Amino acid sequence: MAAARKPNPDRLINAAMALAAEGRWRAISLADIAAEAKVSLAQLHAVFSSKGAILRAFSDKIDAVVLDGTDDDSHDEPINDRLLDVLVRRLEALQDYKPAMGSILRDTVTDPAAALCGGPRLLRSMAWSLEAAGIGSSGLRGRIRTKGLVAIYLSTLCVWLRDDSDDLGPTLAHLDRALTRAERLAMTLALARKVNPDPE
């Protein structure tokens, strides 16, 4: 018997997001996703081994949209403007999935195991966001920058989920303030290191 044809991953991702938009993410089974996508459970398994794998693929999809919009000419702009542009592109890419994101984030926050699995993926996404803004993400300083951007992004997501405005004004204002605070903190720490250099 010939093997069943693998379904398009986007079809499965969209089915999962559609179900998440209608109910609790934790209550959705892989069988539910297969039924929504109109494929067999075996076909779903051939592409994704778990709900976590579907979320990772969705995250990769959003990363690709963000990186595809990167303009190398923008690297002459101030750092905050570059980061603002990158994170706004991410939010715009997520806009059609806002109800699903709300469901997924609510259940991830209340599920430590899911949070631990999603944490490394979010760190990678934010590292790529830094690189897209022309900011290094490697080494100790890069890891610190990445974790700082994760905190900014998560706080902005909370505002974005409640923001029903057409222009996302409250979200953009929050993001701009958060980036400005981070820049001031970075400048303060840099000055402190100059005044009190680490002992040899």
Side-chain angles (χ1 to χ4, degrees):
M1 182 184 294
R5 183 177 179 182
K6 287 185 179 181
N8 187 302
D10 281 345
R11 178 179 176 182
L12 305 176
I13 292 170
N14 290 335
M17 294 299 109
L19 290 173
E22 297 170 358
R24 295 300 297 266
W25 174 248
R26 67 185 179 194
I28 298 168
S29 67
L30 289 167
D32 293 331
I33 296 171
E36 178 71 16
K38 295 181 172 56
V39 301
S40 69
L41 200 55
Q43 287 176 300
L44 172 59
H45 179 266
V47 181
F48 295 120
S49 60
S50 66
K51 287 167 62 178
I54 294 174
L55 291 184
R56 288 190 291 274
F58 175 69
S59 181
D60 287 340
K61 180 179 178 179
I62 298 300
D63 284 347
V65 171
V66 172
L67 295 174
D68 190 52
T70 299
D71 181 3
D72 292 337
D73 293 337
S74 68
H75 287 180
D76 292 332
E77 297 177 358
I79 289 176
N80 273 14
D81 290 351
R82 286 181 264 153
L83 285 172
L84 182 68
D85 178 66
V86 170
L87 293 181
V88 167
R89 285 207 306 274
R90 180 171 292 277
L91 293 175
E92 289 175 344
L94 290 171
Q95 189 65 25
D96 290 341
Y97 304 100
K98 182 182 280 190
M101 288 296 297
S103 173
I104 292 166
L105 288 172
R106 278 195 302 272
D107 286 342
T108 299
V109 168
T110 58
D111 184 349
L116 286 173
C117 292
R121 189 66 196 78
L122 180 56
L123 284 168
R124 285 194 293 273
S125 290
M126 290 300 101
W128 276 111
S129 295
L130 284 170
E131 296 290 344
I135 304 167
S137 63
S138 60
L140 177 59
R141 290 187 180 181
R143 290 194 293 273
I144 292 172
R145 292 187 193 111
T146 300
K147 290 180 180 179
L149 195 59
V150 165
I152 290 172
Y153 178 63
L154 288 177
S155 71
T156 302
L157 273 184
C158 293
V159 176
W160 172 72
L161 287 171
R162 300 190 300 269
D163 186 355
D164 295 325
S165 64
D166 292 333
D167 61 358
L168 295 181
T171 300
L172 298 182
H174 172 87
L175 179 55
D176 184 58
R177 288 194 300 269
L179 289 171
T180 299
R181 285 195 299 268
E183 182 180 40
R184 288 173 179 167
L185 177 60
M187 291 176 63
T188 299
L189 292 175
L191 288 173
R193 282 196 296 269
K194 289 181 180 179
V195 174
N196 300 299
D198 294 333
E200 293 293 338

